[in-house]
């Protein structure tokens, strides 16, 4: 093989991964947190499914639009943003934005989608608050992370958890071998997204109801992604998204 044409290294950690389920609280969370990495995964042939706990109807400064109209707008923005990084399966649970709690019902609803999708990796917000960066630790994110990890272990794999999933819906238990946490206090996986950075920006720009000025946003994103890359030991000038890997086998 001529020099320069080597297959890309597995910088996005796709070895053994066929399907990934990303569970987030609001439309746009996935695009801020990990759309670049998702673009790498779909580019490598991994099937990625998004599950949004809320429709994000409480987002933005708009005070005249009614909740259902805002919810519909945000669902459609998220579907466009997903398509920009190769994701065509976006599901919504419709929990009320701003009032997410890690209830048994939410655990069951996430476990149901895990059993349907049967992913080798689930990506969730960190249920652990990062005191150094308070904004990403929104209570809906923490609650989604807590319900998400409980849905992975034990609910999705235990036939006695939410027994109606098996007895009424015929959904066999599924063991997710690994979880990646976004926005947690102690990341240990750094995905180099420099080459797909414009696709992350394109995904973010689909959230027009939330993001006024994409240029301004890009100005904020770049230093943060550069910091991630430095923390991951990547060469200067690179951009990275960061995660914490959790072995859930
Ligand atoms: Zn959010």
């Amino acid at each position: 093989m001529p020099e320069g044409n080597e297959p890309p290294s597995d910088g996005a950690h796709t070895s053994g991964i066929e399907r990934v389920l990303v569970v987030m609280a609001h439309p746009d969370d996935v695009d801020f947190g990990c759309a670049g990495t998702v673009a790498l995964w779909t580019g490598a042939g991994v099937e990625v499914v998004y599950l949004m706990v809320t429709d994000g109807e409480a987002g933005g400064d708009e005070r005249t639009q009614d909740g259902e109209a805002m919810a519909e707008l945000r669902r459609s923005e998220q579907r466009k943003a997903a398509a920009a990084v190769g994701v065509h399966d976006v599901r919504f649970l419709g929990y009320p934005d701003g009032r997410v709690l890690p209830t048994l019902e939410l655990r069951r609803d996430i476990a149901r989608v895990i059993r349907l999708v049967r992913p080798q990796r689930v990506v969730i917000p960190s249920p652990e608050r990062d005191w150094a960066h308070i904004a990403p630790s929104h209570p809906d994110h923490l609650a989604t992370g807590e319900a998400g990890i409980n849905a992975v272990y034990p609910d999705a794999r235990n036939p006695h958890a939410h027994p109606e999933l098996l007895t009424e819906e015929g959904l066999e238990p599924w063991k997710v071998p690994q979880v990646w946490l976004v926005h947690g206090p102690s990341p240990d996986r750094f995905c180099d997204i420099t080459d797909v950075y414009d696709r992350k920006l394109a995904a973010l720009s689909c959230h027009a109801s939330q993001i006024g000025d994409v240029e301004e946003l890009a100005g904020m994103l770049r230093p943060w992604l550069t910091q991630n890359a430095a923390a991951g030991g990547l060469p200067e000038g690179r951009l990275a998204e960061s995660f914490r890997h959790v072995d859930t086998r």
Side-chain angles (χ1 to χ4, degrees):
M1 192 175 281
E3 210 177 322
N5 280 347
E6 297 86 358
S9 67
D10 193 23
H13 305 270
T14 53
S15 174
I17 304 292
E18 292 169 26
R19 292 176 303 280
V20 174
L21 175 65
V22 182
V23 185
M24 293 284 154
H26 312 114
D28 82 20
D29 291 347
V30 60
D31 298 302
F32 277 106
C34 57
T37 302
V38 167
L40 296 174
W41 290 341
T42 58
V46 175
E47 185 189 334
V48 178
V49 176
Y50 288 173
L51 179 64
M52 304 291 143
V53 171
T54 79
D55 294 335
E57 70 277 9
D61 298 324
E62 176 63 64
R63 295 188 188 185
T64 52
Q65 197 162 26
D66 72 74
E68 184 39 45
M70 180 52 103
E72 180 47 42
L73 176 61
R74 297 210 66 195
R75 287 193 297 264
S76 97
E77 288 174 346
Q78 184 61 79
R79 288 195 191 94
K80 281 185 210 146
V85 290
V87 177
H88 304 286
D89 186 343
V90 185
R91 308 178 191 200
F92 297 88
L93 293 178
Y95 279 75
D97 185 1
R99 286 180 280 158
V100 180
L101 295 170
T103 59
L104 282 169
E105 288 73 19
L106 180 54
R107 285 167 52 176
R108 178 201 59 205
D109 290 346
I110 297 171
R112 174 185 291 114
V113 179
I114 290 172
R115 290 190 189 186
L116 284 165
V117 173
R118 304 164 80 83
Q120 288 81 25
R121 176 180 296 149
V122 170
V123 181
I124 57 174
S126 174
E128 200 179 343
R129 193 182 302 277
D130 181 358
W131 294 108
H133 303 96
I134 200 74
S137 299
H138 185 289
D140 284 357
H141 301 181
L142 300 179
T144 297
E146 183 64 21
I149 191 65
N150 293 332
V152 167
Y153 175 81
D155 298 353
R157 69 185 63 180
N158 184 341
H160 304 292
H162 318 292
E164 66 273 25
L165 293 180
L166 184 58
T167 59
E168 289 169 26
E169 301 177 41
L171 295 172
E172 291 291 334
W174 179 258
K175 186 189 273 189
V176 178
Q178 56 174 271
V179 165
W180 281 25
L181 306 176
V182 180
H183 293 318
S186 40
D188 59 4
R189 289 286 186 285
F190 301 87
C191 293
D192 186 334
I193 62 149
T194 318
D195 299 341
V196 290
Y197 174 62
D198 1 347
R199 293 184 66 196
K200 180 180 175 83
L201 271 190
L204 279 164
S205 67
C206 294
H207 299 282
S209 71
Q210 308 301 306
I211 295 161
D213 185 341
V214 175
E215 288 300 309
E216 192 184 312
L217 174 74
M220 280 160 41
L221 272 185
R222 194 168 267 281
W224 170 53
L225 298 170
T226 301
Q227 244 176 41
N228 286 341
L234 294 167
E236 216 178 311
R238 307 304 288 181
L239 306 171
E241 290 170 341
S242 65
F243 305 86
R244 169 143 185 198
H245 170 100
V246 181
D247 188 333
T248 52
R249 282 173 296 178

